[in-house]
Amino acid sequence: MKQVGLVAIGRNEGKRLHQCLLSVLGKVAHVVYVDSGSTDGSIELARSLGVDVVELDLSTPFTAARGRNAGFHRLLQANPQIEFVQFVDGDCEVVEGWLERALHELESQFNVAVVCGRRRERFPEQSIYNRLCDIEWDTPVGEATACGGDSMMRVEAFQQVGGFNPTLIAGEEPELCVRLRQKGWKIFRLDAEMTLHDAQMTRFGQWWKRSLRAGHAYAEGAWLHGREPERHWVKESRSIWLWGLFIPFLAIALALPTRGLSLLLLLGFPLLSYRIYRYMQPRGFESKDTALYALSCMLGKFPQVQGQLKFHLNRLLKRRNVLVEYKSATPVDSAS
């Protein structure tokens, strides 16, 4: 594994960061931890384990993309011979055997820039929101259009496209993959266990904030790459506007003129849920989990449209985007 380095990012992850770092120490050539203002001793913990630490200057707005870029640069400064980088979030533990499997795939397929595997939720039974995360991450294997925050990347490809877009609050990995695919690189999702994630999502408000972030990411992704041929997240954004705003607005606004007939438009919501349910059935989940996921996708249109509105309003007013992480009440700024 002398060609492989690892970059972990985090803020106030505590025990989760400890598990993350222990799962990779001694298995790669160099480990870098990038901290974005922790107050729980995360920096001291990482250094006590012999990990190279980068403390981000918080006078510059923090984003996960900026953190990963900073970690990547430190990694190559420390070891210029590294050819592959495993990125991982500080609340994830890398599963035994993943690094070897990912390296083998990248070494055997020279046109592949990124490989990722199955991220699982560590405690899916803890809450319905954790369970929803676990279902969301069970995506089809094979050639993919995008990856998530945990993935192994080829240094050459990463440098060719200039790394992550540091201004993006969310959705930075799919946006990077758009640019990689435009250069002819491929992304593959392997049929292999990759990481264990600890969402610690137990409240409805956390789920709402996470969905709002997704809506913001869809809006910004479509704004950046919505033109042909990519049409990146254009379909998803249109669906959010349709179900999260236009149909409810029309149903209520026309209720009096139509003597309530316009309220029949709201029947589209259970139909949408059923359509998602049928789409997810072949994936092999239990019926109750499939129904829960379908309901979440339908209800998620409302916080997602709020995220879309935030992005476009801030863009028009040329204001800095400010969102709140779903795990805490700490604002996360972006210069976008």
Side-chain angles (χ1 to χ4, degrees):
M1 305 294 289
K2 293 181 180 179
Q3 319 100 294
V4 181
L6 183 137
V7 173
I9 62 170
R11 176 178 54 193
N12 291 331
E13 297 295 352
K15 181 181 178 181
R16 293 173 297 192
L17 177 63
H18 193 215
Q19 291 172 320
C20 173
L21 297 178
L22 287 180
S23 71
V24 299
L25 285 175
K27 298 179 181 179
V28 296
H30 198 84
V31 178
V32 175
Y33 167 61
V34 183
D35 189 88
S36 56
S38 291
T39 57
D40 66 345
S42 290
I43 294 172
E44 293 76 14
L45 167 66
R47 285 181 173 148
S48 72
L49 295 172
V51 171
D52 193 355
V53 175
V54 175
E55 297 181 60
L56 290 181
D57 178 3
L58 299 185
S59 64
T60 301
F62 166 75
T63 64
R66 177 185 163 222
R68 293 194 183 103
N69 285 344
F72 177 83
H73 293 315
R74 173 66 67 85
L75 195 64
L76 290 193
Q77 285 176 351
N79 191 336
Q81 305 306 314
I82 285 175
E83 300 177 42
F84 309 100
V85 179
Q86 173 70 45
F87 290 100
V88 64
D89 292 343
D91 55 3
C92 292
E93 176 184 345
V94 178
V95 173
E96 186 71 31
W98 163 253
L99 295 171
E100 293 81 3
R101 174 69 186 279
L103 175 61
H104 172 74
E105 292 293 333
L106 286 171
E107 286 186 320
S108 60
Q109 301 188 64
F110 298 105
N111 62 341
V112 175
V114 184
V115 292
C116 53
R118 176 71 161 98
R119 178 196 257 197
R120 292 191 186 275
E121 182 57 36
R122 184 184 293 275
F123 303 112
E125 72 287 345
Q126 191 177 68
S127 70
I128 60 172
Y129 310 110
N130 282 5
R131 181 59 181 148
L132 286 170
C133 285
D134 197 58
I135 296 171
E136 175 187 327
W137 293 323
D138 190 4
T139 53
V141 299
E143 187 172 352
T145 57
C147 67
D150 304 338
S151 58
M152 187 179 289
M153 299 190 183
R154 191 181 300 272
V155 167
E156 175 191 357
F158 188 84
Q159 290 178 318
Q160 185 181 10
V161 298
F164 291 102
N165 183 337
T167 68
L168 298 183
I169 286 177
E172 66 276 2
E173 304 95 349
E175 193 277 335
L176 171 69
C177 289
V178 168
R179 291 182 281 121
L180 285 169
R181 289 187 286 102
Q182 288 174 344
K183 294 293 186 179
W185 295 101
K186 295 183 181 296
I187 295 92
F188 268 85
R189 191 172 299 276
L190 308 180
D191 186 13
E193 300 297 313
M194 179 178 60
T195 51
L196 286 173
H197 177 263
D198 188 0
Q200 288 193 347
M201 192 159 50
T202 58
R203 303 187 306 276
F204 177 80
Q206 293 174 298
W207 171 86
W208 185 277
K209 289 174 184 175
R210 187 171 183 269
S211 299
L212 187 152
R213 282 170 56 84
H216 188 284
Y218 285 135
E220 193 159 20
W223 178 255
L224 290 172
H225 301 289
R227 295 174 296 277
E228 297 287 355
E230 286 296 339
R231 306 295 289 166
H232 180 55
W233 281 345
V234 170
K235 180 180 178 181
E236 291 81 358
S237 294
R238 286 177 175 173
S239 176
I240 290 168
W241 284 101
L242 176 65
W243 295 101
L245 184 62
F246 293 138
I247 288 180
F249 176 78
L250 289 175
I252 296 171
L254 298 177
L256 285 178
T258 63
R259 297 184 179 182
L261 288 178
S262 63
L263 296 178
L264 293 175
L265 290 171
L266 300 180
L267 293 176
F269 286 98
L271 292 175
L272 173 64
S273 297
Y274 181 69
R275 181 182 175 185
I276 299 171
Y277 176 84
R278 289 294 301 272
Y279 172 78
M280 293 293 294
Q281 271 188 322
R283 304 269 285 274
F285 298 111
E286 294 184 13
S287 294
K288 63 178 182 179
D289 288 335
T290 306
L292 175 65
Y293 183 77
L295 179 63
S296 173
C297 289
M298 185 269 290
L299 293 176
K301 302 295 184 184
F302 299 105
Q304 285 172 1
V305 82
Q306 183 182 351
Q308 295 255 332
L309 286 166
K310 275 180 173 288
F311 167 73
H312 288 294
L313 182 61
N314 288 338
R315 177 180 60 80
L316 291 172
L317 297 178
K318 297 183 179 180
R319 295 189 314 201
R320 175 178 294 167
N321 289 308
V322 180
L323 292 178
V324 177
E325 288 279 12
Y326 72 88
K327 286 185 180 179
S328 70
T330 305
V332 179
D333 292 354
S334 170
S336 60

